[in-house]
Amino acid sequence: MTDARDERRPAGELEAAVMAALWATGAPLTPGRVRAELGAGLARTTVATILTRLHEKGIVDRERQGRGYAYFPVQDAPGLTARRMHTELDRDTDRETVLARFVAQLSPGDEQHLRRLLDGDER
């Protein structure tokens, strides 16, 4: 049975909380351990569902642990953000315009940093 609070929280918020728990521990976690790390009164089935969805999206991987799985992130937080940016860029048919508008909306500091990265000065 799921807690009423589970149903009111947006899936993205739950996914973010689960990812934060996985990144914080730095070790593969079972759904039960993730639930304990969150300490938010979530049902174990809710946490297991979120982990399964993250696995299907390729955001986490899993390894057998007993009769179930322990999950771990495939990328760190900046890597996941970069992946999401690429996904959004791939959704639009006019990449050139999207990139131009993205760059036009950068702060001066971000623009300078991007220029250094494109020039190969930083990684």
Side-chain angles (χ1 to χ4, degrees):
M1 179 175 190
T2 61
D3 188 284
R5 289 175 291 183
D6 296 353
E7 296 172 19
R8 286 183 272 167
R9 289 174 90 177
E13 182 182 321
L14 288 173
E15 287 182 2
V18 167
M19 290 305 298
L22 291 173
W23 284 318
T25 59
L29 297 178
T30 62
R33 283 282 319 276
V34 171
R35 180 177 175 240
E37 291 292 323
L38 295 175
L42 295 171
R44 196 192 80 66
T45 54
T46 299
V47 174
T49 298
I50 295 297
L51 286 164
T52 299
R53 288 181 185 158
L54 290 169
H55 182 258
E56 289 168 355
K57 292 177 183 180
I59 296 171
V60 299
D61 205 350
R62 64 187 183 190
E63 59 187 32
R64 266 282 178 210
Q65 193 170 83
R67 294 185 301 170
Y69 291 100
Y71 295 82
F72 54 93
V74 173
Q75 296 179 318
D76 60 7
L80 183 57
T81 300
R83 178 182 169 166
R84 287 180 177 145
M85 291 169 70
H86 279 285
T87 299
E88 288 302 315
L89 184 60
D90 290 343
R91 286 186 180 155
D92 201 294
T93 56
D94 190 358
R95 288 176 81 91
E96 202 170 302
T97 301
V98 172
L99 285 169
R101 290 187 182 168
F102 176 76
V103 171
Q105 295 173 12
L106 290 174
S107 70
D110 285 344
E111 184 178 345
Q112 288 173 355
H113 187 69
L114 183 57
R115 285 184 192 283
R116 285 192 301 270
L117 288 170
L118 291 171
D119 290 340
D121 295 342
E122 294 181 33
R123 290 281 170 225

